Amino acid sequence: MQTNYRALKKRLEKQIKQGKLLCDIKLTGAEFDTLAKQVSYFISGRYKATDKNGALAVFLVAAGQRYYDGAYWEHIEEICGAQIPYKTRLLLGDAFYGFAVNNGIPVFSRSDRVKNIMAQCFLPEHFECDFFRFLFYGYFVDMKCDITRLPKTLGEDFISAASSETDSARMGMITRGTRDFISCYPAAANKKIRRLLLLTDKLFHLAPLPLILTRSDKALIAWCESDETFRREAKNANFGGHINKNEAFSSPYADISDGVPTLWLPAQFFRYEENADANIVWSIDGRSAVRPAVTVSMAGIQTEPVKIRLSGKIPDEAGITYGETTRKWAIIKKDIG
């Protein structure tokens, strides 16, 4: 379905005036393609890029968010299907700078064209795994897997403390653009980092996840499920390093473990389903969602047992879904009065 450029431009500029960050403005694939076509007209000289064009600013940030890997203009050329002369790059960068200044968007000097654009991107997709690794290191080592140690303010101090000059390996996990975003938007950065750390904690302790997940949330979940260190440490933390003794149970049950009501969800095996959603999700009483760690092999997909410490009422039912396959059980309650 073709997207009307004028209507899209009006919607984007309205969101900017409402105070939405450029990196938080969502674009469908069709909308992104429409903006790319318009930018190709700027490149060819058919239309003039001005500092009043919010749609151009949104596109330049969205392209950086999706494709930046250390190179920027090369990706814009590929997206738009045209080479961008040096002078045209300057014009596009200047148009972005002017729009930012006119609309109160924090930027650096006019000459920092790519830096100004990438400073609006909290976390480019290409560098997500590095940043997730950085956050997990801080969570596991500095916070000792205790979310109550989470600082109230997560900004430049948090990043600099966790990536000091003496720890070059950790420094390398954070892109310059992410640091620039944090310096430009400390409150927004605090909120975004806090959300990722809280989600990391839920994933580490196999706790129920929010039902509504952002694209970044899903990327973090995928990283946690695939990272060997995260999986090993989460397994040891939840099963005391003795997971084998819990592999035999076949139905969900609740018991009192260390004086705390605990829900146990068994390991499950699924054969591949064509066009199935890659996510395997446990639902508790049809509401909260839990994503188990999985092992993929030639035979199919094996989930690992899940242990959940309960703070409220013991649920009555648990079900697991993969693609079109759903299995449900009534929860057995052992040694609970």
Side-chain angles (χ1 to χ4, degrees), residues 37-332:
K37 185 176 181 180
Q38 186 68 26
V39 173
S40 71
Y41 294 154
F42 297 147
I43 296 170
S44 68
R46 181 174 173 181
Y47 297 125
K48 183 179 179 181
T50 73
D51 58 10
K52 294 180 171 48
N53 194 320
L56 171 61
V58 171
F59 170 80
L60 293 175
V61 171
Q65 185 79 30
R66 298 183 187 196
Y67 299 104
Y68 181 78
D69 56 3
Y72 181 76
W73 293 114
E74 293 83 353
H75 292 294
I76 303 297
E77 289 179 333
E78 185 175 353
I79 294 165
C80 297
Q83 288 190 336
I84 307 178
Y86 178 70
K87 287 185 177 180
T88 303
R89 294 182 182 186
L90 298 183
L91 289 173
L92 291 172
D94 289 346
F96 181 88
Y97 175 85
F99 180 83
V101 170
N102 293 337
N103 288 271
I105 296 171
V107 284
F108 299 93
S109 69
R110 179 184 289 273
S111 61
D112 293 319
R113 293 173 178 85
V114 174
K115 181 178 180 179
N116 288 332
I117 295 168
M118 294 309 302
Q120 313 307 316
C121 303
F122 168 61
L123 183 56
E125 293 180 21
H126 181 81
F127 298 101
E128 283 178 332
C129 289
D130 284 341
F131 192 69
F132 296 154
R133 194 173 294 111
F134 166 81
L135 288 182
F136 176 60
Y137 191 101
Y139 169 79
F140 187 74
V141 175
D142 301 333
M143 296 167 57
K144 304 186 186 306
C145 305
D146 181 0
I147 206 67
T148 63
R149 295 170 178 256
L150 184 63
K152 291 183 179 180
T153 301
L154 296 168
E156 290 180 292
D157 292 340
F158 172 79
I159 296 297
S160 60
S163 58
S164 66
E165 294 294 339
T166 60
D167 196 341
S168 59
R170 292 179 75 178
M171 284 182 65
M173 296 178 187
I174 311 171
T175 69
R176 179 68 259 174
T178 296
R179 296 186 188 190
D180 291 337
F181 179 93
I182 292 170
S183 68
C184 291
Y185 301 101
N190 178 64
K191 183 177 180 180
K192 290 177 182 293
I193 296 172
R194 183 175 293 275
R195 179 183 178 93
L196 291 173
L197 281 170
L198 291 173
L199 183 58
T200 298
D201 184 67
K202 288 182 179 293
L203 291 162
F204 188 80
H205 292 292
L206 303 176
L209 305 180
L211 291 178
I212 299 177
L213 298 169
T214 66
R215 200 210 63 77
S216 294
D217 292 341
K218 293 176 182 177
L220 175 60
I221 291 169
W223 179 83
C224 291
E225 289 177 347
S226 64
D227 185 77
E228 291 184 8
T229 302
F230 185 96
R231 286 167 55 109
R232 181 186 66 246
E233 298 300 338
K235 184 186 295 185
N236 290 340
N238 287 284
F239 299 96
H242 302 288
I243 191 171
N244 289 334
K245 70 179 182 180
N246 297 307
E247 288 182 339
F249 70 99
S250 59
S251 299
Y253 70 90
D255 66 2
I256 295 181
S257 177
D258 301 327
V260 179
T262 302
L263 174 63
W264 296 85
L265 303 174
Q268 294 289 298
F269 178 79
F270 295 92
R271 296 197 179 278
Y272 289 113
E273 294 183 16
E274 188 175 357
N275 300 321
D277 188 329
N279 292 321
I280 296 179
V281 180
W282 280 99
S283 61
I284 312 301
D285 278 346
R287 295 192 296 274
S288 56
V290 179
R291 297 175 186 272
V294 300
T295 301
V296 180
S297 68
M298 292 294 291
I301 302 175
Q302 175 80 45
T303 74
E304 295 180 4
V306 176
K307 175 185 177 183
I308 303 174
R309 297 297 183 117
L310 302 171
S311 57
K313 177 184 174 184
I314 295 173
D316 296 317
E317 181 183 82
I320 189 169
T321 299
Y322 167 61
E324 296 182 358
T325 300
T326 299
R327 302 167 187 169
K328 293 183 178 181
W329 298 263
I331 296 174
I332 301 171

Side-chain angles (χ1 to χ4, degrees), residues 8-16 25 27 35 55:
L8 175 60
K9 181 173 180 288
K10 183 176 181 181
R11 191 258 293 179
L12 298 178
E13 292 179 345
K14 179 180 179 181
Q15 288 183 295
I16 294 170
I25 295 177
L27 294 173
L35 294 181

